[in-house]
Amino acid sequence: MREGIPAARSLARAAHGPGPVRRRYALLRRHGEETAVLVLFPLFPPAGGERDRAEGSLEVLPPGTRRLPWAGLPAPVGIVELYGDIDGLEPGEGGAAAGAVEGAPDDPSRPVVVPWTEGRPLWPLHGYDPVRPEDARDREYFTALLS
């Protein structure tokens, strides 16, 4: 994502842009950092008892103050509405984002998506990141989040 005023404009457009695409989420905190991560899942679990697989993630700024950064975070699990550059995200039941984006989290080609939950936005640090289980970097990232 860009920095400064261009980033603010891009986030404002995304927050009030097309959508919403609804997803289930699990909210995780990165150890040793003031960052929260929304791990996104299809709205409806797979049929036939298959295991649920994450389809994307978004690192977001905690909404609290410098003293209490975690104050105001939403529930650890729930439903989130995604607004913004959601062309690759299908509304409804889910499915992975089309055309997984390779590269660093701050790659400008990643879709700018602003999640809304409990009536307010959570501002993302980077663009939407599709989960690629075959990618060693993704496996390491999620292993670190869960440790």
Side-chain angles (χ1 to χ4, degrees):
M1 231 184 313
R2 301 177 193 143
E3 295 180 11
I5 291 174
R9 286 183 180 145
S10 159
L11 286 172
R13 269 193 309 275
H16 297 288
V21 171
R22 298 179 74 205
R23 294 287 187 263
R24 288 179 300 131
Y25 73 86
L27 180 68
L28 304 173
R29 289 171 46 177
R30 290 191 66 174
H31 297 289
E33 296 183 29
E34 291 186 6
T35 305
V37 179
L38 287 176
V39 180
L40 304 166
F41 297 87
L43 188 57
F44 300 107
E50 291 181 36
R51 292 185 57 181
D52 230 355
R53 294 188 184 261
E55 63 182 26
S57 67
L58 276 171
E59 291 186 4
V60 296
L61 288 170
T65 64
R66 283 184 186 214
R67 261 189 133 161
L68 300 169
W70 304 108
L73 277 175
V77 295
I79 305 284
V80 67
E81 293 182 336
L82 302 174
Y83 288 84
D85 188 7
I86 53 176
D87 292 335
L89 304 176
E90 295 297 323
E93 292 188 20
V101 180
E102 298 292 332
D106 57 353
D107 185 336
S109 65
R110 291 189 186 275
V112 177
V113 176
V114 177
W116 282 73
T117 185
E118 299 176 1
R120 63 177 183 238
L122 290 173
W123 299 109
L125 289 171
H126 310 291
Y128 176 85
D129 188 17
V131 174
R132 297 169 300 275
E134 68 283 352
D135 186 337
R137 290 175 298 180
D138 276 12
R139 289 193 306 271
E140 290 170 11
Y141 176 77
F142 285 103
T143 299
L145 273 176
L146 297 172
S147 63

